[in-house]
Amino acid sequence: MPDIELFSFEACPYAQRTRMMMIEKEIDFSLTEVDLYNKPDWWKELSPHGKVPLIRHNSEIVYESRIINEYLEDAFPAHALLPADPMPRAKARIWIDYCDSYLLPALHNLIADRNDEEKQIENRKTIAEKLSFLEHEGFRKMGDGPFIMGEKITLADLQYMPFIERFPCYKELWGAKIPEDCIFLRRWIETMKERESHKSTVNTLDFHMERYQRYDQTKPVSHAQN
Ligand SMILES: N[C@@H](CCC(=O)N[C@@H](CS)C(=O)NCC(=O)O)C(=O)O
């Protein structure tokens, strides 16, 4: 029986971050899928906020994808996913934070305002600005790539990838675009697609499209800006 139990939901990008992280670090884990549309009682008892991902390790639980990933990085130092030196370590954390504090709220608005074309014009512009900032202040200042922090993959890359995987849907459904000059970002996407951690957690675009298109019919499981 693996030490780590991960509670997950197939379509959840946050849970995907943690799955990718454990695959990158070669941490043995068991996966329990939770039906978020019909939460079982055992889940309500286990999870303080009812949200995936959540891990159980040595009978203790940790939740919030970013906190889980940092916990696992501390608990399992092999195959390091944060730089050892304090300054680049802090910079990696800046880009981890940028994803949740700046990019995801912009993507959340794109989904929330999907029936308001006037707001969508502004939302598309904001997303392009957030991606440009990541390109110019992040990728280009942190090194020569291919990863956000340079030559080595870090937790920063894993923070973004599940959402970038879904980006073709944001483009197709709501017109979001990656700016032309984001060449580091584009190369990074191709690099990340080749990682085993991505290949073994990726869902097809049809899968994502079907879920997003259902948003107007059913209440979605909340998964942005939480
Ligand atoms: N900030 C959280 C967000 C997790 C999240 O929103 N998970 C969604 C699924 S993608 C969820 O569990 N929703 C169920 C609910 O809100 O009841 C994290 O990073 O772990």
Side-chain angles (χ1 to χ4, degrees):
M1 173 80 178
D3 277 359
I4 310 279
E5 288 172 86
L6 170 64
F7 297 86
S8 182
F9 176 67
E10 198 187 7
C12 176
Y14 301 95
Q16 191 181 352
R17 283 176 175 166
T18 294
R19 285 159 62 208
M20 288 181 74
M21 181 306 164
M22 290 204 268
I23 294 165
E24 288 289 343
K25 285 182 84 71
E26 298 180 15
I27 297 171
D28 201 15
F29 65 98
S30 68
L31 188 70
T32 302
E33 281 286 309
V34 181
D35 181 355
L36 293 178
Y37 292 100
N38 188 15
K39 292 178 182 167
D41 288 341
W42 63 262
W43 172 246
K44 292 181 195 157
E45 275 162 40
L46 182 67
S47 166
H49 296 302
K51 291 182 195 292
V52 299
L54 176 147
I55 60 160
R56 185 156 52 196
H57 185 207
N58 297 332
S59 309
E60 297 270 5
I61 61 159
V62 184
Y63 48 91
E64 277 296 321
S65 57
R66 175 188 172 171
I67 310 292
I68 295 173
N69 284 7
E70 292 201 4
Y71 167 73
L72 291 172
E73 179 65 12
D74 290 341
F76 299 85
H79 305 288
L81 286 175
L82 278 176
D85 291 344
M87 187 51 78
R89 201 172 170 90
K91 300 241 158 128
R93 289 194 164 117
I94 285 175
W95 294 108
I96 291 170
D97 176 70
Y98 183 77
C99 183
D100 286 12
S101 299
Y102 295 87
L103 181 62
L104 295 196
L107 294 177
H108 172 80
N109 288 343
L110 189 78
I111 299 174
D113 298 334
R114 62 192 174 278
N115 296 320
D116 185 335
E117 187 46 32
E118 211 169 304
K119 285 188 180 162
Q120 290 298 63
I121 294 169
E122 203 50 40
N123 291 338
R124 286 181 207 116
K125 200 166 142 246
T126 306
I127 289 168
E129 283 165 7
K130 302 299 173 205
L131 293 175
S132 274
F133 188 87
L134 173 64
E135 168 83 14
H136 293 282
E137 287 299 312
F139 280 105
R140 295 194 191 198
K141 290 195 179 165
M142 293 302 117
D144 292 330
F147 300 105
I148 296 177
M149 293 302 296
E151 280 173 14
K152 285 193 70 188
I153 190 166
T154 65
L155 292 182
D157 302 292
L158 306 183
Q159 197 78 359
Y160 292 85
M161 190 55 192
F163 297 92
I164 299 297
E165 171 186 320
R166 289 151 177 78
F167 207 88
C169 300
Y170 308 149
K171 183 176 176 198
E172 173 84 17
L173 292 170
W174 305 303
K177 288 200 181 89
I178 297 177
E180 282 303 319
D181 74 336
C182 287
I183 50 178
F184 278 60
L185 176 58
R186 288 171 190 279
R187 180 180 53 158
W188 172 86
I189 294 170
E190 297 315 310
T191 305
M192 289 301 291
K193 280 185 184 165
E194 292 308 312
R195 303 295 294 188
E196 191 48 43
S197 59
H198 183 251
K199 286 184 182 170
S200 53
T201 59
V202 66
N203 277 307
T204 63
L205 288 182
D206 284 350
F207 174 91
H208 293 310
M209 282 296 270
E210 199 267 324
R211 300 191 83 84
Y212 287 126
Q213 282 166 331
R214 256 197 276 150
Y215 272 20
D216 283 319
Q217 285 118 49
T218 52
K219 190 179 176 305
V221 168
S222 78
H223 73 66
Q225 217 181 30
N226 289 299

